[in-house]
Amino acid sequence: MTRLILHDQAAGLRNMTLFQETDSARVFTIAGGAARIGKTSVVVNLATALAQNGQRVLLIDENPCHNSICTSLGLQARFDLLHVIHKDKRLDQVLLQGPENIIILSAMRGIHALNKLNPLEQDWLIKSFAELTGSVDIVLIDTAMTGTTHVLPLSLASEQVMIVISGSAASLTGAYVLIKIMSQEYSKQHFLILVNKVDSETESLSIYQNLYKVARQYLSVTLEYIGYIQSDEKLRSSTQLCKPVLEAFPASQAALCFKHLARNVLRSSCPDKYNGGIDNFMQRLIRTSHLSMANFMV
């Protein structure tokens, strides 16, 4: 039976305390129910809010250059994960410094090459990521929204999956299909739901309930409402300025929504908690890298 979760503050504080006491990073894959849902903006601004909360954040970007995290921040990535795989560069030479306490890894070409690595290349990559253990608290993965997306292996390798939806039919349908595939084919049962581009919390809860009711009828999953982002002209302006809205307009309604979202993320339940550091995540990702959304019918 599908379960609806809204946040209990005391339980949330207990989760946050446990989160702060562990040495391993929590890994979140951010997926979109449809294209143009504002997913990359969510990733950048959530990372900024988490960094302002004292978290050290690694952003892994699967998007092509024109839709990438770096482009949205006015940065240029000269090297990417594939350079690490080929031993042309060390991982620390590929990482870009973003705003606040955020580092960014451009990874589209590298992620798409993972299923072709030989054992020696796999070991090299896992050891490279082991160097980040202890220096990163949270990993946010921005998945691509194209036919070649690796959202499935990225989600299965992550501890938590956050699905960004809006009120559009395409967004809700896409989110449902993604949840259905991961739950029925790969036993992923817990999903965080963020509602973007709405005018109020009331509207966001109504949209969330629409998805929840369908999932409850047909799937055995737990959906956890993690928050909403209000439509805000300041958010669009900050995007044009290539800055997070929390830096450009910290008092805006969108900035307040992201601050609240960051607190909810830190307090969110994590039933799929994995032991180990970021190298363990990369090991899991290599194992799941052969999976493709192209194998399934919507």
Side-chain angles (χ1 to χ4, degrees):
M1 176 179 292
T2 299
R3 294 170 56 215
L4 178 150
I5 294 181
L6 299 178
H7 285 282
D8 171 79
Q9 188 172 20
L13 289 171
R14 289 193 295 271
N15 287 336
M16 185 163 65
T17 301
L18 291 172
F19 171 72
Q20 291 170 338
E21 290 175 352
T22 181
D23 290 331
S24 60
R26 279 172 71 176
V27 183
F28 296 78
T29 287
I30 317 298
R36 305 185 67 82
I37 199 68
K39 178 175 52 60
T40 296
S41 175
V42 165
V43 171
V44 168
N45 285 287
L46 172 58
T48 304
L50 288 167
Q52 290 179 354
N53 262 307
Q55 303 299 310
R56 298 163 298 177
V57 184
L58 168 63
L59 300 183
I60 298 179
D61 191 2
E62 193 205 2
N63 292 290
C65 291
H66 61 283
N67 288 326
S68 70
I69 290 172
C70 288
T71 299
S72 69
L73 290 172
L75 303 173
Q76 183 174 5
R78 295 180 57 203
F79 308 109
D80 62 13
L81 181 60
L82 194 62
H83 289 97
V84 180
I85 291 172
H86 290 163
K87 298 186 179 181
D88 297 325
K89 295 291 178 181
R90 300 188 312 272
L91 182 58
D92 65 288
Q93 295 175 312
V94 169
L95 294 171
L96 279 178
Q97 184 63 51
E100 301 286 344
N101 205 9
I102 300 169
I103 52 177
I104 304 164
L105 174 63
S106 295
M108 183 188 75
R109 296 193 307 159
I111 288 173
H112 292 196
L114 291 180
N115 61 352
K116 303 178 182 68
L117 302 187
N118 62 46
L120 289 176
E121 291 170 329
Q122 293 177 17
D123 288 343
W124 161 253
L125 191 58
I126 292 168
K127 288 177 181 176
S128 296
F129 274 80
E131 297 174 2
L132 294 177
T133 299
S135 62
V136 172
D137 300 308
I138 293 184
V139 181
L140 301 180
I141 305 168
D142 189 10
T143 57
M145 289 298 298
T146 65
T148 57
T149 179
H150 281 56
V151 61
L152 188 56
L154 287 166
S155 297
L156 296 176
S158 299
E159 293 173 322
Q160 292 172 279
V161 179
M162 180 189 300
I163 298 182
V164 183
I165 63 173
S166 70
S168 73
S171 165
L172 293 170
T173 300
Y176 175 80
V177 169
L178 193 56
I179 292 168
K180 178 181 178 181
I181 290 171
M182 282 194 264
S183 63
Q184 293 187 345
E185 301 292 336
Y186 299 103
S187 298
K188 195 79 170 179
Q189 302 299 328
H190 185 259
F191 301 88
L192 306 176
I193 306 297
L194 173 68
V195 186
N196 196 24
K197 299 184 176 182
V198 291
D199 292 329
S200 66
E201 183 177 23
T202 300
E203 182 186 358
S204 75
L205 287 169
S206 176
I207 293 168
Y208 169 73
Q209 287 285 352
N210 288 337
L211 178 62
Y212 168 76
K213 288 176 183 177
V214 177
R216 179 181 61 182
Q217 184 174 358
Y218 297 106
L219 305 175
S220 296
V221 295
T222 299
L223 303 186
E224 182 172 350
Y225 175 82
I226 199 72
Y228 75 101
I229 307 301
Q230 188 165 322
S231 297
D232 189 341
E233 192 60 42
K234 296 296 186 185
L235 182 56
R236 286 183 281 272
S237 297
S238 68
T239 301
Q240 294 171 348
L241 293 170
C242 296
K243 291 183 177 182
V245 71
L246 288 98
E247 288 191 357
F249 306 103
S252 65
Q253 187 59 46
L256 296 177
C257 287
F258 279 112
K259 290 175 184 177
H260 186 68
L261 173 62
R263 290 194 293 269
N264 285 347
V265 165
L266 291 174
R267 297 168 181 168
S268 62
S269 57
C270 188
D272 295 328
K273 178 66 180 172
Y274 295 118
N275 294 322
I278 300 177
D279 53 325
N280 292 77
F281 159 72
M282 181 50 64
Q283 195 169 30
R284 294 192 301 272
L285 181 56
I286 289 171
R287 287 202 308 267
T288 60
S289 61
H290 65 285
L291 302 174
S292 170
M293 291 293 287
N295 296 332
F296 300 94
M297 297 294 291
V298 175

